[in-house]
Amino acid sequence: MQDKQERNEFKEKESKEVETSFSELKLAESKLIIAEGKHAEEELSNAKIRGQESIDALFKELQESINSLDEYGFEWQPPVTFEKPSLKEFDVNIFPDTLKNMVLSVSRFTQTPVDLAAICLIGVLSTTLQKKFHVEPVVGWKEPLNTYTAVLLQASNRKSSVFGLMTGPIFNYESDLIKSHQEQQKKNEKQLSLVNKRIDKLENEYAKSGDIELQGALEELWALKEKLKPQPAPTFILDNSTEEAIISKLFQNSERIAIASSEGDLFERLKSSIKLDASKLDVYLKGYSGDPLRTDRISRDTERLEEPLVTICISAQPAVIEDMPQKIIDRGLIPRFLISMPSDLLGKRDVYNAEPVDFETKDLYSNLISKLLSFEDKNSVALQLSSEAYDVLKKFEQHVETLFLPEQLYSDSLKSWGGKIIGNLLRLTGLLHVAKYTEKADGKADIPTTINIETLNNALNLKGYFDSQIINAFGTMFNKESNDMAQYLLYKLELLTEEKKVRKVAKQDLWQKTKKIFTTAPPFKLALKILEERGFIQFEYGGKSGRQEFIILSPFVKKNQ
């Protein structure tokens, strides 16, 4: 019995332990469920908070958008002002020391922007090296080393002084050649007189005898007479010459010539003559790329040029490119130019620091330019890119290609200019390459024919400079008068809104205030369009008929007053 009782007590104890364990398990499970429920509630609560924050943010954004509307229901952004675009500085460090020192010394002496001397130097290098070297990145792609450059500065900026200092070595070298040529011509003239007498005598004898030996002697004398005929003096640079004179000089000077002037006569002549004869552009268009040129005239024999090259280097006032005929743009003459319009130093010139160019700097520069001029020009040497430089060029080409996409730099009025930029920069690369090695070279054959990556990068880095300059130049060519009229109209609109004490005025009221200046509707509408595109105004229709047009002035204009 005792055993039975003990077994019953054990079962009761075991049952209680199981119940206890089960209760503890249920309690733990209940606690877990409660905990998970609390976590879920917290997550739900956090989600609700986040959702409310998003809603609040959207509401705030909507409220700000509503609040950003003016009293007329228009939204505004700061307008695009009429300030000139920021211009980048020309990096003279691309030049070897002899050339860089000359540019800096001339700039200091004349107290002019370094751009003026630097761009003139490019023209000087082109004059000395065209027909002697060319850049050939790949077979079939050939860039000659002639360039078209123009520096545009207002009067009193000492353009002529800079021009004279930079081109001086060419004129001196040309002058020496002309003196030697004249002396040789005098000798030839005396010898030609004797040859002519000898020819006359032998011709008489041959006419009587018909001796074959006399015929042979006569042929030799006739050939010598041809060599002794007067020859035109060597010419490197022309100034204010007609297109006919340029073609003749090309014919006489191994199909190469430079047009260099500190005045803008070339542009002025083109603007007037292009209206009468578009063919006058041919010598400049074909002289840039070396395309064959043939001229037929009644008064003289046909002149055919196989590969003419022209360099143009001009410094003039900005007015020379104003009102440029569209035909000159469309045919691609202006896009061939590397144009610079630097800010002048008038009013800020340091007269105490205007030291003359020292003898050593001038002498080294003159010797270097003279050596370049002395290189023979019978055969043009191809300059190729190193493999590393070629890879850089391809990446650069790809970058430039994207600039022709809509809304990009070259997508509109600069399309033609952008199409020439790579070729122009390769020409600069060739000029820099030859100049770099000339100082230590004894002759043309000592110039390496492979361009390294450093020289290429120096030239390609000028893209940003010339981009900023051409934007400024094209604005002068096409938009100056229109922008001036738009600014005048903006001024009159501001006065009218002040008078009426509201920013919304009738378009007709503004016309009445300005019709003496605009005289006709088209320029008035163009000025309004410019102001609208720049964000100065917006239009609204209203009035009793709903067809009256109103102009609303940007509140930012008021803020800037």
Side-chain angles (χ1 to χ4, degrees), residues 261-510:
S261 175
S262 58
E263 301 296 336
D265 298 330
L266 171 64
F267 289 124
E268 294 294 353
R269 189 174 65 252
L270 284 174
K271 285 195 289 186
S272 59
S273 64
I274 190 66
K275 298 175 183 178
L276 303 175
D277 187 2
S279 65
K280 289 184 178 294
L281 288 180
D282 287 347
V283 65
Y284 306 111
L285 298 175
K286 296 184 177 182
Y288 172 84
S289 52
D291 293 335
L293 176 64
R294 176 173 175 165
T295 59
D296 297 300
R297 300 191 189 94
I298 298 175
S299 58
R300 64 178 68 178
D301 294 336
T302 296
E303 290 174 324
R304 180 175 175 82
L305 302 169
E306 299 299 331
E307 194 177 354
L309 290 180
V310 178
T311 285
I312 300 178
C313 181
I314 293 173
S315 61
Q317 296 184 32
V320 300
I321 64 170
E322 292 177 10
D323 304 319
M324 188 64 66
Q326 190 63 41
K327 188 179 293 184
I328 294 180
I329 309 296
D330 292 342
R331 291 201 62 189
L333 178 57
I334 296 302
R336 285 165 164 79
F337 274 84
L338 293 171
I339 297 178
S340 176
M341 297 181 68
S343 301
D344 63 44
L345 301 180
L346 293 177
K348 298 172 285 186
R349 293 181 288 197
D350 184 1
V351 296
Y352 293 103
N353 192 40
E355 300 175 4
V357 180
D358 64 90
F359 174 79
E360 183 180 5
T361 298
K362 187 184 293 185
D363 191 53
L364 288 173
Y365 173 72
S366 181
N367 290 339
L368 180 57
I369 300 304
S370 296
K371 184 182 287 188
L372 292 172
L373 285 165
S374 68
F375 288 168
E376 61 88 14
D377 60 354
K378 293 181 180 179
N379 297 296
S380 179
V381 175
L383 302 175
Q384 298 177 329
L385 301 177
S386 68
S387 59
E388 296 84 358
Y390 182 73
D391 290 341
V392 169
L393 176 64
K394 299 310 290 183
K395 292 178 182 177
F396 183 80
E397 283 186 81
Q398 189 60 50
H399 165 67
V400 170
E401 188 64 24
T402 64
L403 299 181
F404 291 96
L405 294 171
E407 306 301 324
Q408 297 300 312
L409 181 61
Y410 301 151
S411 64
D412 194 10
S413 59
L414 296 182
K415 185 176 294 184
S416 296
W417 191 85
K420 303 291 183 186
I421 186 62
I422 294 176
N424 269 327
L425 294 178
L426 281 174
R427 294 177 185 214
L428 296 184
T429 302
L431 296 176
L432 295 176
H433 173 80
V434 177
K436 177 180 179 180
Y437 292 101
T438 295
E439 204 156 25
K440 295 182 179 179
D442 293 328
K444 180 179 174 182
D446 296 321
I447 303 297
T449 57
T450 301
I451 300 173
N452 61 34
I453 190 171
E454 178 186 3
T455 303
L456 177 66
N457 278 329
N458 283 339
L460 297 185
N461 286 338
L462 288 174
K463 176 184 174 297
Y465 171 81
F466 285 115
D467 278 346
S468 68
Q469 297 291 335
I470 198 64
I471 291 170
N472 193 24
F474 267 58
T476 299
M477 277 186 276
F478 300 119
N479 302 325
K480 184 179 186 302
E481 184 177 354
S482 299
N483 285 345
D484 288 346
M485 297 304 289
Q487 290 181 76
Y488 167 77
L489 190 64
L490 178 62
Y491 168 70
K492 299 299 287 186
L493 177 59
E494 290 181 59
L495 293 180
L496 185 59
T497 56
E498 288 177 3
E499 177 187 325
K500 294 183 175 294
K501 294 183 170 41
V502 290
R503 289 188 296 108
K504 179 179 176 180
V505 297
K507 179 180 175 181
Q508 184 64 26
D509 291 344
L510 183 61

Side-chain angles (χ1 to χ4, degrees), residues 7-8 20 36 38 60 114-116 122 164 178 204-205 230 308 312 336 364 367 378 387 443 456 558:
R7 282 195 300 271
N8 290 336
T20 301
E36 288 179 347
K38 287 182 178 179
K60 184 179 180 181
V114 295
D115 314 52
L116 178 54
I122 291 174
I178 290 174
N204 289 330
E205 292 179 3
I312 300 178
R336 285 165 164 79
L364 288 173
N367 290 339
K378 293 181 180 179
S387 59
L456 177 66
K558 292 291 183 182

